[in-house]
Amino acid sequence: EFVFHLTELLENVKLIHKPVSLQPRGLINKGNWCYINATLQALVACPPMYHLMKSIPMFSKTQRPCTSTPMIDSFVRLMNEFTNMPVPPKAKQALSDKIARDIRPGAAFEPTYIYRLLTVIKSSLSEKVRIPHGRQEDAEEYLGFILNGLHEEMLILKKLLSPHSEISNGPETQLVNEEEEQEEQGEGSEDEWEQVGPRNKSSVTRQADFVQTPITDIFGGHIRSVVYQQSSKESATLQPFFTLQLDIQSDRIRTVQDALESLVARESVQGYTTKTKQEVEISRRVTLEELPPVLVLHLKRFVYEKTGGCQKLIKNIEYPVDLEISKELLSPGVKSKIFKGQRTYRLFAVVYHHGNSATGGHYTTDVFQIGLNGWLRIDDQAVKVITQHQVVKPSAERTAYLLYYRRVDLL
């Protein structure tokens, strides 16, 4: 009965983007959990995620001894650990410095039930998140594990409501290798359609069936990947993402803007046509097809070498508090549909990786706290007030790894 209630609730949930002023609480770390703690603090600071989990009733182990949704249950419990803090009225904003220094965090706690999810869901974690050797604790992989896990539990519930519908999975399962995809799908797969693009060239778009859940409604975007080939149809694939992966290796990339422009730059791929075995010029271009309400940018700092080792890129990448996704980054078909407000974002959390090594190090998070109208730095159980300047200022001992933005028109 509860499962049915939960399913109904998730089907009809309306996302709430209004920020909440929560009393901050540090997280006790008795193990190697800083990568989890850093991620949890960013998710607690994410209003639609907080409201979503608060809209689901909380049950104790005795009320529901066996559960089919361990992840949803644990995140509902996590969000319920936090209580509201009064928001200062506008008049007091001038005094916000004074308020800011006086913040009293609640008692730190240890979210053991969240850590336990790793063992509950370990079996599927090893298949889904191929954890590369030597990089066990990665905040970006952990975020993917959480969002995919919540998404999958919601899909299973959806199946209960409509058992006969075909349901596909989220981003992780969808990002197939381009080459494999071409082979697997062969010609004329049922979910492709022809589009006549500019200059009357037709292109074939492949799109897997993506089923929405409240998690994809918050974090899910789509990129369009188009392969151009001489005298042949363009072939396009739509791929979902929860985090937008930004390659920052090139020396030319100094800012988030550079990395985004580099993401959509057309790249040449040497290729052969199958029939004549002649080499033809193939190029590929990625564009942003759909932008989510919460956009998480992953600065790919961990680079795998041919020798099998992994190095960390220490370089500083500048990132703005206010980010506008320029029209040039959007797919041609959506340029006119996405208005400026829908592609303007504001930073609300940054997860940092400390240390120079790819195999160890430490994670911390800066989060925007609406009650303060300012920022907090959270390092496991330590919580302190900082200025916005400290959030964007480069530092020798830590580098930004994940940037959490939310759409300004939803603020």
Side-chain angles (χ1 to χ4, degrees):
E1 190 182 315
F2 169 75
V3 168
F4 185 72
H5 172 66
L6 178 58
T7 310
E8 289 270 78
L9 197 141
L10 290 172
E11 276 299 292
N12 301 312
V13 74
K14 290 266 179 288
L15 292 183
I16 302 169
H17 294 279
K18 189 175 149 25
V20 211
S21 176
L22 299 175
Q23 184 174 31
R25 296 183 70 181
L27 297 173
I28 295 167
N29 178 4
K30 289 185 182 163
N32 248 349
W33 304 125
C34 62
Y35 70 107
I36 295 183
N37 289 353
T39 304
L40 297 182
Q41 294 287 8
L43 292 174
V44 169
C46 175
M49 183 71 164
Y50 173 81
H51 289 297
L52 171 64
M53 294 303 160
K54 285 290 279 187
S55 69
I56 299 170
M58 187 162 70
F59 285 94
S60 67
K61 273 273 183 285
T62 45
Q63 287 167 303
R64 285 184 67 213
C66 96
T67 172
S68 57
T69 54
M71 279 201 141
I72 295 174
D73 300 355
S74 301
F75 273 83
V76 168
R77 186 171 164 189
L78 176 75
M79 297 303 174
N80 277 286
E81 304 270 13
F82 291 84
T83 53
N84 286 31
M85 200 169 81
V87 178
K90 283 278 184 287
K92 282 197 193 153
Q93 300 247 310
L95 302 169
S96 65
D97 292 350
K98 201 145 79 221
I99 299 166
R101 279 196 291 274
D102 289 351
I103 188 151
R104 287 196 184 82
F109 67 101
E110 189 182 13
T112 44
Y113 49 92
I114 299 273
Y115 306 151
R116 234 173 271 138
L117 288 172
L118 286 174
T119 46
V120 176
I121 310 179
K122 196 62 162 179
S123 53
S124 60
L125 178 64
S126 49
E127 293 156 35
K128 273 209 202 78
V129 180
R130 292 172 300 289
I131 295 189
H133 178 64
R135 290 216 27 101
Q136 284 295 323
E137 288 91 21
D138 185 298
E140 194 271 336
E141 264 162 15
Y142 181 71
L143 177 66
F145 162 67
I146 290 303
L147 297 182
N148 277 294
L150 290 168
H151 173 68
E152 305 254 321
E153 285 185 2
M154 291 177 187
L155 285 182
I156 291 164
L157 294 174
K158 246 185 151 94
K159 271 200 177 120
L160 297 174
L161 265 195
S162 48
H164 305 300
S165 64
E166 269 304 295
I167 284 186
S168 102
N169 298 325
E172 291 292 316
T173 42
Q174 226 54 57
L175 287 177
V176 238
N177 206 329
E178 298 261 301
E179 292 81 48
E180 292 166 28
E181 175 148 339
Q182 257 60 42
E183 286 160 30
E184 278 174 30
Q185 298 215 336
E187 279 305 299
S189 136
E190 61 211 328
D191 46 18
E192 55 179 50
W193 67 91
E194 270 199 37
Q195 268 183 328
V196 178
R199 299 184 307 285
N200 286 339
K201 279 195 67 178
S202 81
S203 72
V204 175
T205 300
R206 292 198 174 83
Q207 179 181 25
D209 217 15
F210 305 124
V211 179
Q212 287 182 296
T213 63
I215 295 297
T216 62
D217 290 343
I218 298 172
F219 297 95
H222 283 97
I223 54 178
R224 179 185 190 87
S225 173
V226 185
V227 176
Y228 305 91
Q229 189 176 325
Q230 271 163 322
S231 66
S232 159
K233 273 183 193 161
E234 294 172 3
S235 112
T237 317
L238 284 186
Q239 300 169 331
F241 65 84
F242 279 147
T243 56
L244 193 57
Q245 310 286 323
L246 296 181
D247 187 336
I248 56 170
Q249 277 191 76
S250 155
D251 292 337
R252 290 194 307 278
I253 298 177
R254 304 260 165 87
T255 66
V256 160
Q257 203 54 45
D258 294 344
L260 286 165
E261 281 166 20
S262 157
L263 174 75
V264 302
R266 197 158 161 163
E267 55 170 353
S268 275
V269 192
Q270 292 316 107
Y272 292 87
T273 51
T274 37
K275 305 202 174 60
T276 56
K277 291 278 181 265
Q278 263 183 312
E279 189 159 337
V280 289
E281 186 60 36
I282 294 180
S283 67
R284 180 168 165 263
R285 179 159 197 242
V286 167
T287 49
L288 300 174
E289 181 83 7
E290 192 187 333
L291 295 169
V294 174
L295 177 63
V296 183
L297 303 181
H298 172 210
L299 304 178
K300 293 168 73 176
R301 293 201 172 270
F302 300 108
V303 181
Y304 294 93
E305 267 129 9
K306 297 217 165 41
T307 54
C310 178
Q311 291 292 326
K312 178 180 175 186
L313 292 174
I314 311 281
K315 71 176 189 179
N316 176 47
I317 297 287
E318 285 173 35
Y319 47 96
V321 171
D322 289 290
L323 172 72
E324 188 184 318
I325 301 290
S326 72
K327 269 194 160 160
E328 284 56 63
L329 304 174
L330 303 178
S331 304
V334 298
K335 273 192 172 129
S336 57
K337 296 187 192 124
I338 299 181
F339 303 110
K340 192 170 175 187
Q342 297 166 309
R343 50 187 176 81
T344 310
Y345 286 84
R346 181 160 301 148
L347 192 66
F348 71 87
V350 183
V351 171
Y352 302 91
H353 182 263
H354 298 240
N356 297 344
S357 144
T359 46
H362 181 58
Y363 286 98
T364 59
T365 307
D366 289 349
V367 296
F368 181 77
Q369 215 281 357
I370 188 78
L372 287 177
N373 194 23
W375 288 82
L376 294 173
R377 177 155 295 170
I378 307 178
D379 179 348
D380 286 326
Q381 59 190 69
V383 179
K384 68 173 191 184
V385 175
I386 54 167
T387 64
Q388 182 172 289
H389 175 67
Q390 287 169 283
V391 178
V392 291
K393 184 183 78 166
S395 141
E397 71 274 2
R398 48 166 211 156
T399 43
Y401 184 48
L402 290 160
L403 303 170
Y404 287 70
Y405 284 94
R406 44 191 295 235
R407 250 172 59 189
V408 166
D409 65 333
L410 300 168
L411 293 176

